[in-house]
Amino acid sequence: MLWTIIVTLVGGVIIGSLGKFLAPGNRDNIPFWLTVVCGIIGMLVGNTLYYAIFKDSPTDKWDNMTKGIDWWRHLWQVVVAVLAVMAASFVTGRNKRA
């Protein structure tokens, strides 16, 4: 259980930071904690979408469908994190620089 929390937080930091870096324009003006939340959302939703679209057989596990590193799954996670960062920026009203 502890490792699940640690992996989720570290993954949220990495995926959220990539999403914040790749967000277009000045839409990335959000606090760090919200970046981590957007990264966690990107991980969960990106995983779910990738699994739902590209599942080959009923025996595929949703967390790793290939042998080795599943780069396409991580790409889906980052894209969802970019969208989450843009949405968080819009919702918090931080999409314009002062």
Side-chain angles (χ1 to χ4, degrees):
M1 179 67 175
L2 180 62
W3 280 111
T4 302
I5 294 170
I6 291 171
V7 167
T8 302
L9 289 175
V10 170
V13 168
I14 294 169
I15 299 293
S17 297
L18 284 170
K20 189 172 181 177
F21 177 73
L22 295 173
N26 58 357
R27 297 187 190 330
D28 62 352
N29 194 15
I30 59 173
F32 181 71
W33 68 268
L34 193 52
T35 302
V36 175
V37 170
C38 290
I40 292 171
I41 290 169
M43 287 172 54
L44 295 175
V45 174
N47 256 359
T48 305
L49 287 174
Y50 180 76
Y51 176 73
I53 294 171
F54 296 109
K55 178 177 74 166
D56 287 336
S57 69
T59 60
D60 283 342
K61 294 182 180 180
W62 77 279
D63 61 339
N64 194 7
M65 296 191 323
T66 62
K67 292 180 171 81
I69 299 174
D70 201 349
W71 293 108
W72 287 108
R73 177 174 55 105
H74 296 308
L75 179 67
W76 278 75
Q77 292 173 343
V78 171
V79 169
V80 172
V82 167
L83 296 174
V85 165
M86 291 171 52
S89 176
F90 178 75
V91 168
T92 60
R94 294 180 178 238
N95 59 352
K96 295 182 178 150
R97 295 206 171 154

